[in-house]
Amino acid sequence: PLELHFRHLVGPLDFSGQSRQALGCAVPLAAKCGAKISLLHVVQPPAVMRSMPDGSLPVPVNTDRLVELAKERLEEMAA
């Protein structure tokens, strides 16, 4: 049987149930191999729009706040 040995796993998370389930599988695998896990979440800036279809201007999004919230969620999941 083929045995895999990992030193470092990357866990991409979008905070969906599927990504949480994948992390739940990665944790015991990392423990078995003595590997480190790094969690990864990408904050995508919102698309820039000149105006909404009704002519109104879009509400600006605070990207810094999105990053802050993602960091908080990642820290909770890493605990």
Side-chain angles (χ1 to χ4, degrees):
L2 178 65
E3 284 193 39
L4 300 175
H5 297 281
F6 300 99
R7 292 184 301 177
H8 193 167
L9 300 175
V10 177
L13 294 169
D14 61 5
F15 306 119
S16 67
Q18 291 89 351
S19 68
R20 289 172 186 255
Q21 187 175 13
L23 181 61
C25 294
V27 169
L29 176 62
K32 181 178 179 182
C33 296
K36 170 180 157 181
I37 296 180
S38 293
L39 302 181
L40 171 70
H41 177 76
V42 176
V43 176
Q44 182 176 352
V48 177
M49 295 177 56
R50 293 183 189 263
S51 66
M52 302 297 281
D54 65 359
S56 64
L57 294 176
V59 176
V61 175
N62 183 343
T63 306
D64 291 337
R65 181 67 180 138
L66 292 176
V67 170
E68 183 181 320
L69 290 171
K71 284 181 181 179
E72 289 173 8
R73 290 183 78 182
L74 285 170
E75 288 173 3
E76 287 172 9
M77 293 184 78

